[in-house]
Amino acid sequence: MSHTGQWKVRLDLFEDDDGTTKAHMVLDTGTTALTGHGTAHCHPADTNVPEIGDELAAGRALVDLAHQLLETAERDIQGMTAPRPGTRQTAGQPL
């Protein structure tokens, strides 16, 4: 059984006057949307290079999104697993 899917990612970058770059990233799976955020700050003594701020903020948003995606998968796996052998459930009481 093969499976093919397409997920969409949208990345918006914003830089303010004090050298702070913010990234807002949305992963749309068609059934779920996850949002990641990342920020980068330019040190006052450094030259402001917007491309570097974009890279850092976007990378941090990706890391945030990755953690959320892994947590979602872990919850989904836990919801799919059967009780382990040796565990018993008493009628009327949750495990």
Side-chain angles (χ1 to χ4, degrees):
M1 172 167 91
S2 65
H3 170 78
T4 302
Q6 183 179 39
W7 292 0
K8 297 178 183 175
V9 177
R10 187 182 76 240
L11 170 63
D12 297 306
L13 296 163
F14 310 92
E15 184 176 357
D16 58 24
D17 293 333
D18 71 352
T20 298
T21 303
K22 295 180 182 178
H24 178 258
M25 185 174 291
V26 177
L27 170 66
D28 182 359
T29 69
T31 58
T32 304
L34 298 173
T35 303
H37 299 278
T39 306
H41 305 280
C42 182
H43 188 277
D46 292 339
T47 302
N48 187 11
V49 181
E51 185 176 296
I52 294 171
D54 291 351
E55 293 165 348
L56 287 169
R60 291 171 179 159
L62 279 167
V63 168
D64 182 30
L65 202 56
H67 285 131
Q68 291 180 51
L69 192 56
L70 290 168
E71 288 171 2
T72 299
E74 187 174 319
R75 282 192 306 272
D76 289 347
I77 290 168
Q78 289 174 355
M80 300 283 299
T81 57
R84 295 183 182 188
T87 59
R88 295 181 3 183
Q89 182 176 357
T90 305
Q93 292 187 3
L95 289 175

